[in-house]
Amino acid sequence: MSKIHILPPHIANQIAAGEVVERPASIVKELLENSIDAGAKRIRVELKDGGKHLIRVTDDGIGLEKEDIDLSVERHATSKIIDEADLNLIGTMGFRGEALSSIGAVSRLSITSRPYDNIEGWQVRVDFGRDKKIVAAGCPSGTKVEVQDLFLEIPARRNFLKRRQTELGHISQIVRTLSVGFPNILFELLSDGREIFRSRPGCHGSQRLWPLAGDKLVLQMLPVKGESMKILVSGYVTPPEEARASSKSFYFFLNQRPINSRLLWKALNQAFRGFTMKNSYPVGALFLEVQPDQVDVNVHPAKQEVRFHDPDVIYRIVYHSVQRALEGIKVIASTFEKTPAGSKETGLSIDQQKLDIFSDTLQVSEAVSGYGEPSSPWQNQKTALTAGTVPQASTDKDHQVQESDGADLWCDFRILGQLAKSYILAEGPHGLVLIDQHAAHEAIIFKRLNKQIAQTDSLNAQPLVFPEVMERNPQDIAKLPEICPILTRLGVVIEPFGHSQIAVRAVPDFLASCSKTSQVASELIDRILNFPEQDAKGLVHDLLASMACHSAIKANHHLELQEMDALIKELVSEQVTHCPHGRPVSQILGFNEIERRFGRKQ
Ligand code: ADP
Ligand code: MG
């Protein structure tokens, strides 16, 4: 590595400035980035008290000469850029020359280092920005950075630090994420002497994602691949049925750097549109390789956000690559929530109507249900025809609906059959009725669960014969004491299992036969973690809706006549009109409309 120098003010001023030392995890991130830039093949992170007492990062990288170690703790001291032009061609994780000096200002910092061809090493120490000292040190080749007593002299910031477990959770997440970005480096994380994480260099294929998604889920992932205009996209996504309620389990990497990007999220969501319910997200990661001059990483102090020079190209390649990965998965698009299409939603110029492989299916289903035809005589009734809800009187005298109770209404129904294994078709006194089997069943279960909660304040738990174990990051496990009581009330009993797993011990009886109890529990945890604290009622609604959704009959599932009959009877007795997500459970295509379509009426 070239020598460290202090950046002249005119370059230093062009660098996105901001606080990089927020908490132990941000320090670990900066130190790991330095070790990566130093070409390390093995990096060990050791913590005491969640990093509050000590963070030690040791690497086997190229090390620092005496004069470099001296400069490294100064502001704007870097070996990674020299002039302005370099700012447009950043190929290293760091470039600001600020991390070590900022860390040295808020802790007792020591850096001990030896390049492998030097006999002697050196150590520099700084205590809260004061008393810089350099001494000779006998040490292995590579670099060891120790950060002690973080914020000890700044009580306001020290008090802000969270419990040991919480800080550890954040750090573990950073180490795991970087280990996925740099699969050839061995990362180790130890907390108070205990090993928390050890990466597996050389992992191939989807298994590369195990530190973030767990060993089980990675086996189900679909590969994503694409290339265009010197941009490479690769990665893995879970199939739609494994979607989570939280977007936190998907990761983007740009030239190996973990990043946040609204643009990439939009492309991913758009590609999944029609495959998953609204507000559910895939698990996985996408790796983009872009020429350094095609992207600006100097827009965010912690380098988490980037600016692409040609966002449309990036959007398109990600969108198409993900969509190709999903092709072949047959889903009835019309059973899923439809989001408004078009460039308005994404704010991008791309023509999404053309790109949407489901647009045809959606148009057909809309035509059947009659949306978008304000003049249709049955429009007033379009969502009203469900048990207990008498359709509004039509404006057409011929088809005026008589007052009757819901049960009577359904008495006259004749089941015609099932459409696309997803909708029940029935003939009713006013026309053709379509019932969304999943939405209807979900609405019934949801209503019953609500009743049970109202009566007994909890749902019955049924212990599982074989507890199911799922991977969760330590950050979530640290929050289990808050999550468990809420879930227990809903009949879901979970407990920590090791430092990165959770065991599901019991679920409510109606979910006991569900084959994916750990997935359900995992989704419930996501929902609790993502819900605004003050909205307890909303949270219960959300959790019950999620359980109802999991236990309800799915779309694309064959039903026998008796089953359809039973479902309609339940619909009558529970008197539901909409599923918990707000979708109607039934639609009616009135006789007037049918006649108009066949040219029998104007
Ligand atoms: P930046 O990474 O933005 O250059 P830092 O303050 O993080 O700034 O580090 C300053 C300099 O110290 C780096 O440019 C690099 O030359 C040197 N350095 C820091 N950590 C290491 C390390 N682990 N191994 C070798 N050199 C290092
Ligand atoms: Mg750095």
Side-chain angles (χ1 to χ4, degrees), residues 1 4 34 38 59 64 72 77-80 95-97 99-100 143:
M1 195 178 289
I4 299 184
N34 282 346
D59 70 47
L64 289 141
S72 66
T78 184
S79 56
K80 299 171 192 173
F95 57 89
R96 308 166 72 237
L100 293 180
T143 303

Side-chain angles (χ1 to χ4, degrees), residues 219-247:
L219 298 176
Q220 299 177 42
M221 289 188 172
L222 309 166
V224 175
K225 255 204 163 355
E227 184 176 356
S228 163
M229 302 169 75
K230 290 200 193 156
I231 299 162
L232 292 178
V233 176
S234 63
Y236 295 88
V237 296
T238 43
E241 62 272 19
E242 294 292 342
R244 297 258 185 108
S246 151
S247 60

Side-chain angles (χ1 to χ4, degrees), residues 80-130:
K80 299 171 192 173
I81 58 169
I82 295 177
D83 54 30
E84 271 170 280
D86 293 338
L87 273 178
N88 302 322
L89 285 169
I90 289 164
T92 47
M93 298 293 281
F95 57 89
R96 308 166 72 237
E98 286 223 294
L100 293 180
S101 70
S102 309
I103 297 167
V106 292
S107 68
R108 288 182 223 288
L109 170 70
S110 83
I111 306 169
T112 314
S113 188
R114 176 169 74 82
Y116 77 100
D117 48 359
N118 286 9
I119 305 165
E120 196 174 33
W122 292 91
Q123 184 180 69
V124 65
R125 299 187 62 90
V126 184
D127 280 357
F128 296 96
R130 305 179 301 259

Side-chain angles (χ1 to χ4, degrees), residues 274-285:
F275 286 93
T276 47
M277 296 263 274
K278 205 174 164 195
N279 298 329
S280 61
Y281 308 88
V283 178

